[in-house]
Amino acid sequence: MAMFCRSAASLLKPVHFLPSALAVVRQSSSGGQYQYILVDKKGEKKNVGFIQLNRPKALNALCDGLMLEVGKALDIFEQDTEVGAVVITGSDKAFAAGADIKEMQNKTFQECILGNFLAHWNKVATVRKPVIAAVNGFALGGGCELAMMCDIIYAGEKAQFGQPEILLGTIPGAGGTQRLTRAVGKSLAMEMVLTGDRISAQEAKQSGLVSKVFPVDQLVSEAVKCGEKIASNSKLISALAKEVVNAAFELTLTEGNRFEKRLFHATFATEDRKEGMTAFVEKRKADFQDK
Ligand SMILES: *[C@@H]1O[C@H](CO)[C@@H](O)[C@H](O)[C@H]1NC(C)=O
């Protein structure tokens, strides 16, 4: 959850981003107001929710306000029947260089416990619509954890992933030790968590942390394309598919397969399953109604 590159650390000093530089954005789609993020709908059919972390002076350090806004934007996309997938991205330089250490510096154990510190971050992992992280630049500490809460990670070729909390005398606190280990295996996860060393986009691809790597300037449009592909399927069925893939991280093989089978059977109660198979037989494109 913590930390960043040294260059970011110096930038994080006082919370000195300029409100004017962070244009307060009004979104007609959401009606919301955001200070730390930009929110939009992308894709030809405007069916991909788009959240851009926008705290450039702090390399998108994940302060409390930023994560609350991300949660709010996700809630709105979750309710928006047009939206079939969401992309979360940062800037070319940083997806997010870490949590906001200034906010943590003087926090006490008691405050952490009583406030359930960082618990609300989990919002990103509990959204039912598919979420794609498009990671350019630094995804360190909380930034790496945020990316790993998403369902799919695409990386730009210059991306760097790391859990450097150990260098600050703490450990990851938003799923880093758990999701990283499940994604890349014990040896690499241990090495990253114990040394604070980062891995490159290529290493992240090799180890299974990310599914695809793209040139920096193509990353976001490729992530939106992936979102459009997902959004063109039945949102109803996508929600089931996402739920059962996630269950693979929680259940035994027998229980997971049982759950899968039940949801598979459940798809036969839907109009979209009927439409999908009928369209296939009739050699036409399916027209899903999310029913
Ligand atoms: C934390 O406490 C130290 C020592 O009292 C102080 O110098 C520092 O400014 C405080 N940091 C924050 C972010 O409030």
Side-chain angles (χ1 to χ4, degrees):
M1 90 215 88
M3 207 4 216
F4 18 46
C5 44
R6 300 219 176 276
S7 59
S10 57
L11 288 168
L12 283 176
K13 277 213 170 140
V15 185
H16 66 196
F17 43 88
L18 306 168
S20 60
L22 289 174
V24 173
V25 179
R26 268 170 218 281
Q27 282 304 317
S28 52
S29 61
S30 64
Q33 270 188 19
Y34 300 104
Q35 187 180 357
Y36 302 111
I37 62 176
L38 303 172
V39 177
D40 199 358
K41 290 207 271 185
K42 300 241 187 214
E44 242 168 69
K45 296 182 177 158
K46 300 285 171 212
N47 54 4
V48 179
F50 188 79
I51 299 172
Q52 182 168 18
L53 312 183
N54 188 29
R55 231 190 132 187
K57 306 255 174 204
L59 292 176
N60 289 333
L62 303 170
C63 60
D64 212 42
L66 186 152
M67 287 307 294
L68 285 170
E69 288 186 1
V70 168
K72 190 170 147 196
L74 285 172
D75 272 338
I76 290 166
F77 286 142
E78 193 90 306
Q79 301 300 322
D80 185 334
T81 53
E82 280 174 19
V83 169
V86 178
V87 169
I88 300 181
T89 194
S91 67
D92 286 358
K93 210 167 161 196
F95 177 72
D100 194 319
I101 305 306
K102 277 276 161 191
E103 282 185 356
M104 294 188 200
Q105 186 191 351
N106 294 333
K107 230 177 171 51
T108 65
F109 169 72
Q110 289 81 353
E111 286 165 349
C112 287
I113 293 279
L114 290 173
N116 206 359
F117 185 42
L118 292 188
H120 71 275
W121 283 37
N122 205 43
K123 171 92 214 162
V124 182
T126 59
V127 172
R128 301 192 65 210
K129 290 183 180 174
V131 183
I132 303 155
V135 176
N136 267 326
F138 302 116
L140 303 179
C144 188
E145 290 173 305
L146 174 60
M148 292 191 294
M149 284 182 198
C150 300
D151 301 306
I152 296 171
I153 307 178
Y154 278 8
E157 336 179 275
K158 302 255 171 66
Q160 291 186 39
F161 297 84
Q163 297 292 158
E165 288 85 350
I166 197 83
L167 305 176
L168 302 183
T170 184
I171 67 172
T177 62
Q178 304 303 296
R179 293 196 177 93
L180 185 64
T181 307
R182 282 162 168 78
V184 308
K186 178 173 166 177
S187 180
L188 182 55
M190 277 290 189
E191 190 181 348
M192 289 171 70
V193 169
L194 294 176
T195 66
D197 284 352
R198 305 172 198 165
I199 59 171
S200 67
Q202 290 68 29
E203 289 168 303
K205 170 79 170 66
Q206 246 172 16
S207 62
L209 181 61
V210 312
S211 54
K212 290 199 171 79
V213 178
F214 295 100
V216 172
D217 60 349
Q218 288 166 34
L219 171 72
V220 170
S221 65
E222 291 293 337
V224 170
K225 264 189 230 166
C226 176
E228 286 184 279
K229 227 184 254 188
I230 292 169
S232 74
N233 297 323
S234 163
K235 295 180 193 72
L236 178 64
I237 306 299
S238 292
L240 298 180
K242 171 169 170 168
E243 187 175 359
V244 69
V245 171
N246 275 332
F249 294 97
E250 311 283 351
L251 302 178
T252 63
L253 185 58
T254 301
E255 287 305 315
N257 280 332
R258 190 207 308 276
F259 184 42
E260 177 196 87
K261 197 71 83 244
R262 291 294 168 255
L263 293 191
F264 168 65
H265 293 162
T267 65
F268 283 73
T270 69
E271 295 297 321
D272 283 346
R273 194 282 313 174
K274 198 179 292 174
E275 163 62 11
M277 291 193 181
T278 302
F280 181 84
V281 170
E282 293 176 356
K283 299 184 181 0
R284 61 174 173 83
K285 202 170 173 305
D287 180 21
F288 295 118
Q289 301 296 322
D290 308 321
K291 287 183 177 153

